[in-house]
Amino acid sequence: MNREEIGEFLYRFYRKRTSSFLANIYKASITADSKDIHRARLDVKNIFTLYGLFEMLDSAAFKENGGYKLFRPLYRQAGKIREIQVNYLLLSNPQPAGVEFPAFILWLNGEERQAVKRFLQLVKKFRDPELAATEKRVQKICSSSTIFKMRSKTLDYVKTRAMLVGELQLNEPGEKEIHKIRQHLKTMAMITTIVYSIKPLKQLDQIISELNKTEIMIGDWHDRVVLKDAIERFLAANSPDPKELNSLKRLIQELLDYNQNLVQHFMPEVSRLVQSITEDEN
């Protein structure tokens, strides 16, 4: 693709995502369905990835209103709803005979209702005119982009992020550090995937494959951290019967043990990934 075709491809890809987002939040405002809200969140995730790409191409892209600020409140609230859905999925896994969590699940139901209510309130505050203004800046960036510039900027970006991940691993990383590592890996994977889709490059293909494999393992770890934190919040504010209390405490320990084992598996993979990217670039 030439410069004009690349710019048109990027801009149309961006418009497709924003159109899908507007359709999904409109539908969610009617249905209040968590699945519709999650679809809108996935749209925003793709939009944020594109914003990251646009910022690489033009560092002043979103210093004015719009951009991330426009979507972030909705994205964060939709994320809270998604976390509750993931908690349900993990709790649906087979439990030992007689182990049930009725009070905790009832509490989760209430948390979900409140989270959905807050999301719908944010939908009413969403400003379409700000989105239109942002689209004008995006179109300008797209029209001045070349594949050479995108590849060069992407490889520099990946190297910088890989170095940040390496720094987070220098000491024994805790939950906070691992969460930041996961965020870096996800952003790296999504941006390189978009650039690769425009014009494949073997170097990017290898990076994407390694990033996705490692990020999936950390995602599994993150899901269990979210469930553990939810149980701890529930226990801090509620007094379930002794049987459920003991079951929840055992579940917390199982989640901790599982995650400790996961960390031992994916941290060496993260180290190899960082080394591979930084050495490749040197």
Side-chain angles (χ1 to χ4, degrees):
M1 290 189 282
N2 58 36
R3 175 184 290 191
E4 184 177 343
E5 291 170 336
I6 289 170
E8 187 66 18
F9 172 87
L10 271 177
Y11 183 63
R12 285 182 179 274
F13 187 76
Y14 173 75
R15 285 295 305 274
K16 184 177 181 181
R17 295 275 65 80
T18 55
S19 297
S20 177
F21 165 76
L22 291 172
N24 281 320
I25 61 169
Y26 175 73
K27 184 179 179 184
S29 69
I30 298 171
T31 65
D33 190 292
S34 296
K35 291 180 180 178
D36 292 327
I37 294 172
H38 180 55
R39 292 188 188 99
R41 180 175 179 268
L42 292 178
D43 286 329
V44 176
K45 184 181 289 188
N46 284 316
I47 291 168
F48 280 179
T49 301
L50 286 165
Y51 283 169
L53 176 60
F54 298 146
E55 281 186 323
M56 286 193 315
L57 300 170
D58 180 356
S59 60
F62 303 115
K63 286 187 177 179
E64 301 173 26
N65 292 332
Y68 296 100
K69 293 179 182 179
L70 182 61
F71 291 98
R72 190 167 282 124
L74 282 166
Y75 182 72
R76 287 175 174 169
Q77 192 59 36
K80 293 177 182 179
I81 297 167
R82 179 58 183 170
E83 287 181 350
I84 295 170
Q85 291 294 314
V86 171
N87 288 339
Y88 287 141
L89 289 172
L90 289 175
L91 290 171
S92 68
N93 291 335
Q95 303 291 337
V99 174
E100 297 179 348
F101 313 105
F104 178 55
I105 291 175
L106 186 64
W107 178 82
L108 281 177
N109 291 339
E111 291 285 296
E112 183 179 21
R113 286 194 298 273
Q114 288 300 313
V116 169
K117 182 179 178 181
R118 286 192 286 271
F119 179 85
L120 297 178
Q121 290 170 344
L122 288 170
V123 169
K124 293 178 182 178
K125 298 178 182 178
F126 187 80
R127 305 297 180 193
D128 286 9
E130 291 183 22
L131 178 59
T134 299
E135 284 184 353
K136 291 181 180 178
R137 294 201 295 277
V138 166
Q139 189 172 28
K140 184 177 179 181
I141 294 168
C142 291
S143 63
S144 61
S145 301
T146 66
I147 189 61
F148 176 79
K149 184 178 180 181
M150 276 190 280
R151 282 177 172 177
S152 176
K153 291 281 188 180
T154 299
L155 291 172
D156 287 344
Y157 177 85
V158 167
K159 179 183 177 181
T160 300
R161 290 278 175 147
M163 291 172 68
L164 290 174
V165 170
E167 290 174 6
L168 289 167
Q169 288 185 284
L170 290 177
N171 299 312
E172 188 81 22
E175 286 185 4
K176 184 179 179 181
E177 289 75 22
I178 296 174
H179 182 62
K180 287 182 179 179
I181 288 171
R182 176 175 177 258
Q183 289 178 321
H184 286 315
L185 295 180
K186 287 181 71 173
T187 306
M188 291 159 66
M190 293 176 76
I191 286 180
T192 50
T193 298
I194 289 177
V195 175
Y196 181 84
S197 70
I198 296 172
K199 192 166 185 179
L201 178 68
K202 184 177 180 181
Q203 188 177 3
L204 289 181
D205 187 29
Q206 292 171 341
I207 290 172
I208 292 167
S209 178
E210 293 175 4
L211 282 169
N212 286 336
K213 181 178 67 175
T214 308
E215 196 277 317
I216 287 171
M217 287 191 285
I218 304 183
D220 195 13
W221 168 89
H222 178 258
D223 290 345
R224 284 160 175 78
V225 169
V226 168
L227 177 55
K228 175 186 72 68
D229 290 348
I231 295 171
E232 290 175 344
R233 291 199 309 274
F234 167 73
L235 292 178
N238 298 274
S239 300
D241 66 62
K243 182 179 178 181
E244 183 169 355
L245 176 61
N246 289 333
S247 294
L248 286 170
K249 286 182 176 179
R250 284 197 300 272
L251 179 55
I252 287 175
Q253 190 57 53
E254 289 170 6
L255 293 169
L256 288 169
D257 292 342
Y258 186 95
N259 270 3
Q260 185 178 13
N261 184 54
L262 267 182
V263 169
Q264 292 173 353
H265 278 81
F266 67 65
M267 273 305 170
E269 292 294 327
V270 172
S271 296
R272 281 192 286 270
L273 174 62
V274 168
Q275 185 177 7
S276 172
I277 292 173
T278 53
E279 284 183 349
D280 229 22
E281 292 288 308
N282 288 332

